[in-house]
Amino acid sequence: MDKHHGKYLTTGEFAKLCKVNKQTLFYYDQIGLLSPVFKNEKGYRYYSIRQIDLFFVIDLLKELGTSLNEIQKYMQNRSPESFLSLMYQKKEEIVKIRQEIETKEIMIEAKIALMEEASHLDFYQVTLEQLPEATLYLSENIENITDEEFVKVISDFINELNVSHLDTGYPIGVITKREQILKGEFTNYSYLYIEQPHPKEGYPYFQGVKGDFLIGYHIGDGYTIHKTYKRLFSELERLNLTFGDYVFEEYIYDTVVMNHKEQYVTKIMIQVNQLGN
């Protein structure tokens, strides 16, 4: 059989077209995955140009996480029907992968935006701002639970966000009711929450009350947060404001971006009313 007349390719030529080394082709031949069309009397291997597409399909399946053993099983029972079934299966996997990547991209974009916004904040300033309504996904009620129970709630909440694809890249915050704050129970939270800028249907959400909020920042860990609340109380009094129903807290800087807890920054948003309202 004449190689040039039949338009066959040597191992080196075929490997170059497929952008792999010759050893890969030798191995595929050894395991019966992709063998040359023929070998001449000197043992030289020759491939057909028709096998290029087959190699690319094998390479595609590998890139999609298909094991060589699974590919071998397909190769042993090739048919238009089995090929079509395989392609539909891989298409579904690609759609899922793309959705996961898009979700991660949204999360990263949110974290970038939040961090860039944080770089322009004055953490020593207290401001009165009007916040829009926000859709929040809440944990179970966590008032008066033990430290051990709190750890379990956090773990369950994070797992729920991952399973339900509700992690938006926004920080996990805490809601504390007015009664706890007025009693000085600043860490007796009522709920964990995460903001949902694009809410999915079928989930129970909490609509964060829009309106006026006194916003300040606590620098340090939770053990000293009472000092920041004392400062915010003074500002409430100075502005003739009273507490609304809730206080929201979110980390601005935490262990993700800071080495020491003394550098952590927590954003405190106190819902307020004008005195007499």
Side-chain angles (χ1 to χ4, degrees):
M1 190 179 292
D2 181 67
K3 164 203 163 210
H4 296 288
H5 178 72
K7 292 185 174 57
Y8 293 104
L9 305 167
T10 66
T11 302
E13 290 168 339
F14 192 78
K16 186 176 181 180
L17 283 173
C18 296
K19 296 181 173 57
V20 293
N21 56 49
K22 292 192 292 184
Q23 283 67 34
T24 297
L25 297 179
F26 292 154
Y27 180 64
Y28 283 1
D29 182 21
Q30 179 183 341
I31 64 174
L33 193 60
L34 176 62
S35 298
V37 173
F38 75 96
K39 299 176 185 177
N40 67 11
E41 63 279 1
K42 294 183 178 180
Y44 293 121
R45 304 157 185 256
Y46 293 99
Y47 293 83
S48 166
I49 58 174
R50 295 177 181 273
Q51 291 178 290
I52 294 175
D53 190 47
L54 176 57
F55 177 87
F56 287 153
V57 169
I58 293 171
D59 201 47
L60 172 64
L61 293 173
K62 281 178 57 183
E63 287 183 5
L64 294 175
T66 311
S67 70
L68 289 180
N69 185 51
E70 290 175 303
I71 298 173
Q72 281 178 301
K73 288 180 180 177
Y74 163 73
M75 296 294 287
Q76 292 166 2
N77 298 281
R78 280 175 281 183
S79 70
E81 294 78 16
S82 62
F83 178 73
L84 191 59
S85 174
L86 182 61
M87 289 299 101
Y88 273 124
Q89 176 190 335
K90 293 305 169 183
K91 181 181 178 181
E92 289 179 5
E93 292 175 8
I94 289 173
V95 168
K96 184 178 179 181
I97 291 170
R98 183 170 63 245
Q99 290 172 339
E100 290 173 350
I101 290 174
E102 288 174 352
T103 298
K104 287 180 172 62
E105 183 182 11
I106 291 171
M107 290 171 59
I108 289 172
E109 286 176 348
K111 292 182 182 300
I112 289 172
L114 290 168
M115 198 55 53
E116 288 183 342
E117 179 185 355
S119 67
H120 300 293
L121 294 174
D122 180 353
F123 297 137
Y124 296 95
Q125 184 179 20
V126 177
T127 59
L128 181 62
E129 301 179 26
Q130 189 170 67
L131 299 183
E133 186 176 74
T135 301
L136 310 178
Y137 186 72
L138 303 186
S139 70
E140 62 183 270
N141 187 285
I142 57 175
E143 293 173 20
N144 302 312
I145 64 175
T146 65
D147 291 344
E148 291 77 12
E149 290 170 331
F150 184 66
V151 171
K152 183 179 185 305
V153 169
I154 292 177
S155 176
D156 291 345
F157 188 62
I158 291 174
N159 183 61
E160 190 176 356
L161 295 179
N162 291 332
V163 170
S164 301
H165 305 290
L166 294 171
D167 189 346
T168 57
Y170 282 74
I172 293 176
V174 292
I175 300 176
T176 311
K177 293 179 181 177
R178 173 178 54 196
E179 305 88 81
Q180 273 70 42
I181 296 295
L182 292 177
K183 288 189 292 185
E185 298 176 355
F186 305 117
T187 58
N188 188 6
Y189 312 123
S190 299
Y191 301 96
L192 304 174
Y193 73 86
I194 186 169
E195 188 172 343
Q196 301 289 306
H198 306 289
K200 297 180 179 180
E201 294 184 4
Y203 292 93
Y205 293 114
F206 174 83
Q207 298 301 325
V209 182
K210 71 175 181 179
D212 294 328
F213 285 80
L214 190 72
I215 299 177
Y217 301 90
H218 170 66
I219 302 174
D221 61 22
Y223 292 108
T224 58
I225 201 167
H226 63 279
K227 297 179 180 179
T228 300
Y229 270 103
K230 184 177 180 180
R231 182 163 61 93
L232 294 174
F233 290 165
S234 297
E235 192 65 11
L236 279 170
E237 186 176 348
R238 187 185 72 80
L239 296 172
N240 291 320
L241 300 171
T242 60
F243 271 100
D245 294 327
Y246 303 105
V247 175
F248 301 83
E249 292 182 18
E250 294 176 0
Y251 269 129
I252 300 296
Y253 294 154
D254 59 8
T255 185
V256 174
V257 297
M258 291 298 185
N259 290 322
H260 306 290
K261 59 185 180 181
E262 293 79 12
Q263 299 172 307
Y264 294 173
V265 178
T266 304
K267 183 178 184 180
I268 302 173
M269 295 163 280
I270 301 176
Q271 183 186 6
V272 296
N273 301 310
Q274 294 292 333
L275 197 61
N277 288 355

